[in-house]
Amino acid sequence: MTEHVNTELPAYHEPSSSFAKEIELEPGGSGIMHCIQCGMCTASCMVANMTDRYRPRKLIQKILLGKREEVLTSELPWLCMTCRLCEERCQEDVDPTDIFTAVREIAAREGYIPAVFQNAIDKVLEDGWMLNDSYTDFEEDDRSDLGLDADLGWNTEFVKKIKKRYFKGGIEV
Amino acid sequence: MKEFVLYTGCTTPVRLPAYERAVHVVLEKLGIKLTTMKDANCCGAQYIESVSHTAFSAMCGRILALAESMDLDILAICGACSGSLKHVKHDLDSNEELRNEVNDILEEEGLKYTGTVQVKHLLQVFREDIGYDAIKSAVVNPYKDLRLAAHYGCHVTRPEEIVQVDDAENPTIIDRIIEAVGGTPVDYTGKTRCCGGPLLAMDDEVGNAIGRDKIENIRAENADGIVTACVFCDIQLTQVQFGEGASDKPKIPCMTLPQLLGPAIGIDSESLGIQLNKISPQAILEAH
Ligand code: SF4
Ligand code: SF4
């Protein structure tokens, strides 16, 4: 019997795009290449604990594999609570929180942004602060009863400059 | 007397004004002077932060620069605000290009960020500027037989190297203050986990499940109350105890740290806005 020697090299997995490199250049994204896929982040994550939809390690894996479209159009990067428990525990100094924020920033640039985020962004850029619509006579009275100033004095002009400079119609350009 | 400018953030003044009030009266009694920042803008946490790092830096940068113009350090009482301001300060201090960009927008208003301002979360002021000994000696009406669970808040303590508040894995400031006022701090499973609040916008069911899990872990230790240091955490850990899916067991009152501290140092509960707390902490107030 002749011995079969496998002369073929093992198959290499090449990422299907340079998405991970793109993330690496974004603020906070620099650690992504150090991820060893240990899963400590998923083990620490309360969102993962409560729903099967979300697994931070898997999401990082998808980025490393280059699945750009799939990640950018998915709700997953927006499910991170940014609690940074995983970041505190990651032994490779990867910041999953900042990585997902970088993903969100790129997704927003390309027009993928969940409606709740878009609405909140529009509000802040319109009013200068988050809760203008919720601040009614009722809350004003509570403040006055507590001896606090009912006039909150928020600046509304600065956000107009922010909007003009960094956003067009609410979505970042 | 140490003086700070208080940046209230968007949420405390509207949703939890009693916290703002309690911060004022308690810090004043412990020798800290506060001025409230006016003409401020939202820090941009979570929402602007998610879509433009530069716009977010400009929004926090303006708040930092306003404080510089007043020549005062900032006191932040919300986890999201303190985390954002500290993060952006860190970025502005280490990234000249970003600093120039931010200063370019601020210039029109005559503001400039140079980096002299410090940002402190309330917990730091208690530990660093007042100190545990001063708190202990201010106590005139200590609590007795009271088991309290501290909830620190993710953005208050993490990432440790940037926010520099406490040991992120084993924070102790709230616990030490609970001790200082005569209470017994209790540990519980998942103490440093999130309250679930930041997830409410995207998935309130999962966000609330996370909050309720924390409540049940606290209940398992027979705690009489929860002590918080962030407006979002306080509201979240309160509201998950109501409505559909909430446990039918007795509710566990949440109090912000200055509301717990106040009565022990001789401030009446009305001045601390405790009558507005959604779950009455009467049993805590009577535990002397
Ligand atoms: S991000 Fe860190 S914790 Fe998560 S899988 Fe990669 S190396 Fe492990
Ligand atoms: S920061 Fe995001 S991914 Fe990490 S543990 Fe928290 S929710 Fe999970």
Side-chain angles (χ1 to χ4, degrees), chain A residues 75-142:
Chain A
E75 67 157 352
L76 296 177
W78 306 85
L79 286 179
C80 170
M81 301 188 289
T82 73
C83 76
R84 297 186 184 272
L85 206 51
C86 55
E87 176 188 324
E88 203 63 47
R89 293 183 181 165
C90 172
Q91 58 195 320
E92 297 299 318
D93 266 344
V94 185
D95 292 352
T97 324
D98 288 340
I99 287 170
F100 302 149
T101 302
V103 172
R104 292 179 192 189
E105 184 153 350
I106 297 172
R109 250 182 254 156
E110 302 191 5
Y112 303 113
I113 174 166
V116 279
F117 272 75
Q118 185 65 68
N119 293 339
I121 290 162
D122 290 345
K123 271 277 127 228
V124 171
L125 293 179
E126 189 63 37
D127 300 331
W129 64 302
M130 289 281 298
L131 295 178
N132 197 43
D133 297 344
S134 311
Y135 192 47
T136 65
D137 294 350
F138 185 72
E139 282 80 20
E140 276 194 43
D141 288 348
D142 270 352

Side-chain angles (χ1 to χ4, degrees), chain B:
Chain B
M1 186 190 257
K2 177 85 182 162
E3 184 175 357
F4 289 92
V5 56
L6 170 69
Y7 175 69
T8 62
C10 300
T11 307
T12 303
V14 179
R15 299 244 192 264
L16 208 62
Y19 180 30
E20 183 180 339
R21 168 75 182 170
V23 165
H24 274 282
V25 290
V26 167
L27 290 192
E28 195 191 347
K29 182 126 194 183
L30 294 171
I32 303 284
K33 189 167 184 255
L34 288 186
T35 314
T36 302
M37 185 182 285
K38 288 285 175 183
D39 196 40
N41 50 274
C42 166
C43 70
Q46 189 170 11
Y47 297 104
I48 305 292
E49 182 183 9
S50 289
V51 295
S52 169
H53 184 253
T54 320
F56 173 57
S57 304
M59 291 178 75
C60 286
R62 183 172 179 276
I63 296 160
L64 296 166
L66 275 173
E68 282 195 6
S69 75
M70 301 169 79
D71 210 14
L72 290 172
D73 288 338
I74 295 178
L75 166 66
I77 58 177
C78 157
C81 305
S82 70
S84 298
L85 293 171
K86 286 173 184 211
H87 253 269
V88 170
K89 178 179 165 55
H90 178 266
D91 291 348
L92 292 174
D93 290 346
S94 55
N95 181 342
E96 194 183 344
E97 204 183 319
L98 185 67
R99 191 167 66 239
N100 290 340
E101 166 69 21
V102 167
N103 276 331
D104 193 51
I105 322 173
L106 296 180
E107 201 184 346
E108 294 168 40
E109 286 184 82
L111 290 170
K112 187 172 182 184
Y113 175 80
T114 66
T116 54
V117 62
Q118 297 300 317
V119 181
K120 286 197 180 184
H121 179 268
L122 180 65
L123 293 186
Q124 282 170 287
V125 174
F126 280 131
R127 194 195 57 201
E128 297 162 12
D129 298 284
I130 299 168
Y132 301 123
D133 290 343
I135 294 174
K136 251 181 235 152
S137 35
V139 171
V140 291
N141 190 21
Y143 294 100
K144 232 179 78 193
D145 301 328
L146 196 56
R147 294 170 62 78
L148 294 170
H151 171 78
Y152 284 83
C154 303
H155 300 118
V156 175
T157 53
R158 292 190 290 265
E160 186 180 330
E161 63 282 8
I162 290 182
V163 300
Q164 298 182 357
V165 172
D166 206 339
D167 180 336
E169 291 225 317
N170 184 24
T172 56
I173 300 177
I174 300 179
D175 294 82
R176 292 193 62 173
I177 295 175
I178 289 171
E179 253 167 15
V181 298
T184 306
V186 298
D187 274 333
Y188 57 96
T189 303
K191 190 174 175 185
T192 58
R193 285 181 198 153
C194 185
C195 65
L199 198 60
L200 294 180
M202 279 301 287
D203 190 327
D204 57 351
E205 235 173 79
V206 175
N208 285 333
I210 292 170
R212 284 189 198 117
D213 183 68
K214 191 168 248 288
I215 297 292
E216 291 317 312
N217 288 336
I218 289 171
R219 192 189 306 283
E221 301 302 328
N222 292 316
D224 302 302
I226 303 167
V227 185
T228 62
C230 162
V231 55
F232 286 106
C233 302
D234 194 273
I235 292 173
Q236 169 71 353
L237 293 177
T238 301
Q239 72 87 18
V240 294
Q241 299 191 59
F242 292 86
E244 215 183 302
S247 149
D248 47 20
K249 303 202 181 86
K251 299 192 191 341
I252 307 173
C254 287
M255 286 175 107
T256 60
L257 181 58
Q259 282 189 324
L260 174 77
L261 195 45
I265 59 173
I267 300 170
D268 65 287
S269 68
E270 189 138 335
S271 304
L272 299 158
I274 290 176
Q275 66 281 8
L276 294 176
N277 286 28
K278 208 168 161 195
I279 304 170
S280 168
Q282 201 52 40
I284 296 176
L285 297 176
E286 284 166 7
H288 289 285

Side-chain angles (χ1 to χ4, degrees), chain A residues 53 143 151 155 165-166 172, chain B residues 38 40 51 101 104 203:
Chain A
R53 271 144 66 214
R143 291 187 65 81
D151 174 15
N155 177 293
R165 195 153 167 149
Y166 304 110
E172 203 200 3
Chain B
K38 288 285 175 183
V51 295
E101 166 69 21
D104 193 51
D203 190 327

